Amino acid sequence: MSSTLYQLVYYSRNNVSGEGNGFDQQVDAILEASRRNNEAAGITGALLFNTGCFAQILEGPLEAVEDTFERIQQDERHGDVSLLALEPIEHRSFGRWAMGFVGRSEENAERFAGVGIASGFDPARLGAQRLHQILRDLTLDEEALAA
C-alpha cells in the first residue's frame, strides 16, 4: 500500500430529517460512527452540515478515502453527492481530528450562514480550496472554544 496521502473534498444535499433533539441525536450518531470508522481506516477530516447540505474533507491513504467516499455516496442521508477534489497532499490539514465537526458553536453557525449567503448556498461555487480553508478555520475555532 502506498504511503501517499490524499485529500477528498465533497458536498452533498442533507437528507437528514427531524428537528431539535431528534436532529441533534442523528448528528451525534453520524459523528460517533464517522470518528470510529475513520480512526480505524487512518482517515482524518472535518465535517460541516446544516439543514441544507453537508461539506466534508477526508484525508488519508487513497484506498481508505475512496472506500469511505463510496459509503457516503450510498448513504441515503446524502443526496446529489458532488466531488470537488481528490488529490495527493504532503501533510494532513486535520491531523488531530478523526472527524472534526463544525457547527456546535453559535458563532461558527453564524459565520457559515454568512458563507452560505455569499455562495448562494451552493458549495460548488465555493470550490475545493475555499471550502478547505473555511472548514480548517472553523474547526480550529471550534477546538479553541472547547478548550
Side-chain angles (χ1 to χ4, degrees):
M1 178 162 66
S2 171
S3 62
T4 302
L5 293 173
Y6 281 79
Q7 183 178 81
L8 184 146
V9 182
Y10 81 91
Y11 74 94
S12 65
R13 299 292 164 214
N14 177 5
N15 291 336
V16 174
S17 60
E19 295 179 6
N21 250 1
F23 184 81
D24 290 343
Q25 288 174 349
Q26 288 187 69
V27 170
D28 290 341
I30 289 169
L31 290 170
E32 182 180 328
S34 294
R35 288 175 177 143
R36 183 180 58 247
N37 294 337
N38 289 354
E39 187 172 342
I43 292 176
T44 56
L47 170 69
L48 180 146
F49 77 94
N50 58 28
T51 57
C53 70
F54 289 91
Q56 187 170 20
I57 296 174
L58 302 170
E59 303 169 327
L62 181 60
E63 185 175 347
V65 168
E66 288 179 330
D67 289 349
T68 300
F69 187 57
E70 180 64 29
R71 282 192 304 277
I72 290 165
Q73 292 178 84
Q74 302 302 318
D75 189 326
E76 293 180 355
R77 296 173 292 195
H78 296 268
D80 301 323
V81 180
S82 297
L83 179 66
L84 295 176
L86 174 60
E87 56 195 17
I89 56 174
E90 290 188 23
H91 61 279
R92 296 175 189 259
S93 294
F94 301 93
R96 293 189 303 254
W97 304 284
M99 184 48 54
F101 175 61
V102 176
R104 291 282 186 220
S105 75
E106 288 184 30
E107 178 182 308
N108 279 346
E110 289 174 16
R111 285 176 62 195
F112 181 66
V115 170
I117 292 167
S119 70
F121 295 95
D122 183 359
R125 288 182 52 198
L126 293 173
Q129 288 183 339
R130 179 71 177 122
L131 195 53
H132 175 271
Q133 179 185 357
I134 290 166
L135 279 170
R136 177 86 176 135
D137 291 349
L138 292 177
T139 303
L140 289 171
D141 289 350
E142 287 279 327
E143 184 178 70
L145 288 171

